[in-house]
Amino acid sequence: MLTEIRGLNEECGVFGIWGHQESAQLSYYGLHALQHRGQEGAGIVVTDGETLRPVKGEGLVNDVFNEEKLRAATGHAAIAHVRYPTAGGGGIENVQPLLFRSSTGTLAIAHNGNLVNANHLKQNLERSGSIFNSTSDTEVVIHLIKKSSHSPFRAKVKNALSLLKGAFSLLILTKDMMIVARDRNGLRPLALGRLGDAWVVASETCAFDLIGAEFVRDVQPGELLYITKNGLEVDSIIEEQHPRAMCAMEYVYFARPDSNIDGVNVHMARKRMGRELARECGSIEADVVTGVPDSSLSSAIGFAEESGIPYELGLIKNRYVGRTFIQPTQELRERGVKMKLSPVVQVVKGKRVVMVDDSIVRGTTSRRIVRMLKEAGAAEVHVMITSPPMTNPCFYGIDTSTPEQLIAASHNVEEIREAIEADTLTFLTPEGMVRATARPFNDADGGLCMACFTGKYPTEIYSDTVLPHEKEC
Ligand code: AMP
Ligand code: SF4
């Protein structure tokens, strides 16, 4: 039953609940809170102790589920997923959680992240007779579980997961157990909470707030949790601690401002990024500070507070258009930027504008916004980016494109400034980013992964490590 398995390689959101008769409905609400992490597809798999039932589809959470479908998915436990799109990644067969049937029973998997040793493991499995239908990470995980000589099932899963390197926040559901696991570096977020007697897990704590669950703690790097009718048991897939490496881009761009990651609120971290940037850029003559909605509003407020330049709403987002990366082609992406943002002419006309944004990947978005502000009459546009130049690809599940498409990989800051047609351009330094996140860890990098900015990858990268968007997905 391994045909047509596709990738699990993108930035996504996972949600799980154990011990609640309305598990499907609560998963639906949980996915709503995680919608920003993926808009291409959504799915819920529910167990009633006997059978696993999937409900899934392409599109937004609201489009995929309705009352009738959720009511039919009865059970006391569920895992759920929202999927982020990549080029060529469409199709219902890619929508998670994925279901696998084998002699050891049926299981569902929902996964966020990208493995760096998937090819390596796959080759070893092929040498011992496994036949693969895709290049997806999930298929590798499933083969590893099936092939494991360990017993019982928990030991098989533990053994399989201990072989994985790279990023994963992973949920497995069988008819009588939910398994929760996080990679040894803690690259992607995963939090544990309670809703009455039920256990809940989610990529971001904002999902707990929406359903009224209480945050218990973050799932620790390398941790493996088994949740059954007997309660929660804690295990580990690692023998020793590894350096923490939470993706810095979660704080910069991906996570919702009301989420807390490793105890740090994302909105507050972004505000501090804006403040750091204002300090780092020295004195700047400008009339208004504006942020690019939504991810940069917090940092623009921080920049305004620190610089003393008034904060204004210079750009308005059209709520009913998705994020710009949704459209797979560059041409559509460019059109998407136009569709989703509008300048507030009264705010920017004749003004020297500080425009705060979270990151520059290819430079397309910044150039369009600078042009838009100038067309609306801005006298000057000073671009402030709350992350360092992105010079390296991400192997851990964030689709930052090919290295050739990263403008900072081949252009210095002055060349990028020219390309985006800004009057000045300032990036936050890696040190400023570490200070701003103010994570409660003592190491110099604050337990952050900043590899796309620094080239220092927290895991080995294999010669055959495949970038998320190059996988079959
Ligand atoms: P670009 O136009 O390629 O420079 O894209 C930069 C913009 O895309 C930023 O302002 C972010 O808001 C957003 N962004 C950054 N990284 C990503 C990513 N990995 N996926 C989707 N959007 C992103
Ligand atoms: Fe996040 Fe960049 Fe590290 Fe990828 S390389 S996990 S985007 S910080």
Side-chain angles (χ1 to χ4, degrees):
M1 273 305 291
L2 293 176
T3 48
E4 286 303 306
I5 300 159
R6 297 281 186 100
L8 296 179
N9 317 310
E10 310 82 18
E11 180 62 7
C12 304
V14 294
F15 179 89
I17 180 159
W18 180 276
H20 200 293
Q21 282 313 319
E22 293 191 307
S23 63
Q25 286 83 352
L26 288 160
S27 298
Y28 164 78
Y29 288 121
L31 290 185
H32 252 295
L34 300 175
Q35 183 77 85
H36 61 288
R37 299 183 72 87
Q39 302 94 32
E40 196 191 58
I44 302 174
V45 171
V46 181
T47 178
D48 57 4
E50 295 292 327
T51 315
L52 295 187
R53 279 193 197 87
V55 190
K56 48 187 183 168
E58 291 177 79
L60 298 172
V61 173
N62 251 351
D63 303 329
V64 172
F65 307 103
N66 58 34
E67 225 183 316
E68 200 185 330
K69 284 185 190 167
L70 292 173
R71 218 178 309 115
T74 49
H76 64 279
I79 62 170
H81 189 267
V82 279
R83 185 176 189 276
Y84 197 75
T86 54
I92 180 76
E93 71 275 16
N94 297 329
V95 178
Q96 297 187 46
L98 297 184
L99 266 181
F100 298 93
R101 290 181 183 85
S102 77
S103 49
T104 49
T106 304
L107 60 87
I109 298 193
H111 170 274
N112 171 209
N114 188 56
L115 304 179
V116 293
N117 65 340
N119 266 358
H120 191 73
L121 293 168
K122 188 177 155 193
Q123 277 159 20
N124 289 343
L125 284 160
E126 275 172 343
R127 272 197 284 275
S128 63
S130 293
I131 297 167
F132 283 83
N133 297 302
S134 78
T135 53
S136 91
D137 290 357
T138 334
E139 197 175 353
V140 173
V141 177
I142 292 297
H143 275 287
L144 284 174
I145 295 174
K146 283 177 71 175
K147 274 269 163 78
S148 173
S149 56
H150 294 64
S151 190
F153 177 69
R154 283 185 194 200
K156 281 187 193 297
V157 172
K158 178 171 170 166
N159 173 245
L161 299 186
S162 70
L163 301 172
L164 308 181
K165 298 213 175 118
F168 59 91
S169 284
L170 186 122
L171 304 181
I172 297 176
L173 186 71
T174 69
K175 63 185 169 54
D176 46 22
M177 178 164 37
M178 182 162 84
I179 298 175
V180 179
R182 192 166 172 213
D183 68 73
R184 61 196 72 198
N185 301 102
L187 274 149
R188 305 256 75 88
L190 194 61
L192 179 70
R194 292 221 85 164
L195 179 67
D197 292 335
W199 288 102
V200 280
V201 279
S203 292
E204 288 185 40
T205 58
C206 62
F208 297 165
D209 299 333
L210 194 134
I211 60 165
E214 196 186 313
F215 170 77
V216 174
R217 63 178 179 82
D218 290 290
V219 177
Q220 293 304 301
E223 212 172 21
L224 181 59
L225 308 176
Y226 308 105
I227 306 175
T228 64
K229 65 176 171 18
N230 300 324
L232 178 138
E233 281 171 66
V234 179
D235 199 351
S236 178
I237 54 173
I238 48 173
E239 311 248 293
E240 61 197 50
Q241 288 303 311
H242 292 255
R244 278 177 186 270
M246 163 59 65
C247 169
M249 280 300 281
E250 292 280 353
Y251 289 105
V252 170
Y253 172 72
F254 269 109
R256 239 171 68 160
D258 52 337
S259 288
N260 300 327
I261 302 177
D262 286 342
V264 176
N265 173 255
V266 172
H267 163 71
M268 297 308 283
R270 287 184 188 160
K271 252 182 105 171
R272 288 191 295 268
M273 285 175 198
R275 282 184 168 273
E276 281 290 340
L277 198 47
R279 281 195 282 272
E280 287 185 355
C281 81
S283 72
I284 183 144
E285 300 283 316
D287 305 305
V288 287
V289 176
T290 192
V292 180
D294 290 322
S295 50
S296 307
L297 297 182
S298 309
S299 44
I301 294 170
F303 190 100
E305 282 178 3
E306 183 68 26
S307 65
I309 305 167
Y311 171 80
E312 264 292 4
L313 270 187
L315 292 160
I316 299 295
K317 184 175 178 179
N318 176 359
R319 305 261 143 228
Y320 306 100
V321 187
R323 288 191 167 191
T324 48
F325 269 41
I326 284 177
Q327 298 88 354
T329 67
Q330 182 71 4
E331 193 206 332
L332 283 176
R333 237 174 240 138
E334 294 199 13
R335 215 182 291 156
V337 175
K338 249 193 231 153
M339 277 162 63
K340 74 173 204 174
L341 283 178
S342 308
V344 181
V345 177
Q346 286 74 2
V347 167
V348 301
K349 196 169 178 190
K351 301 281 173 45
R352 295 166 300 175
V353 179
V354 169
M355 178 202 112
V356 184
D357 201 1
D358 55 77
S359 56
I360 292 184
V361 183
R362 284 159 293 208
T364 318
T365 309
S366 300
R367 191 180 60 240
R368 293 226 148 245
I369 299 173
V370 172
R371 277 189 192 164
M372 189 187 288
L373 290 170
K374 291 213 164 163
E375 279 164 18
E380 292 170 12
V381 180
H382 301 276
V383 176
M384 302 286 160
I385 301 293
T386 58
S387 57
M390 199 178 268
T391 45
N392 302 278
C394 173
F395 293 98
Y396 306 122
I398 304 267
D399 182 10
T400 51
S401 314
T402 61
E404 307 79 61
Q405 287 175 315
L406 295 171
I407 189 168
S410 53
H411 295 68
N412 63 29
V413 175
E414 174 52 21
E415 288 165 343
I416 302 172
R417 183 202 63 75
E418 209 172 303
I420 65 170
E421 301 168 12
D423 291 276
T424 66
L425 169 64
T426 310
F427 287 94
L428 185 63
T429 61
E431 298 74 28
M433 193 150 87
V434 172
R435 277 193 299 274
T437 46
R439 282 161 55 77
F441 308 111
N442 289 330
D443 33 347
D445 60 7
L448 283 173
C449 171
M450 293 191 289
C452 49
F453 311 115
T454 61
K456 278 192 236 151
Y457 291 93
T459 69
E460 301 167 63
I461 301 296
Y462 295 70
S463 56
D464 57 359
T465 296
V466 178
L467 287 168
H469 69 276
E470 290 168 345
K471 285 196 182 170
E472 191 180 289
C473 53

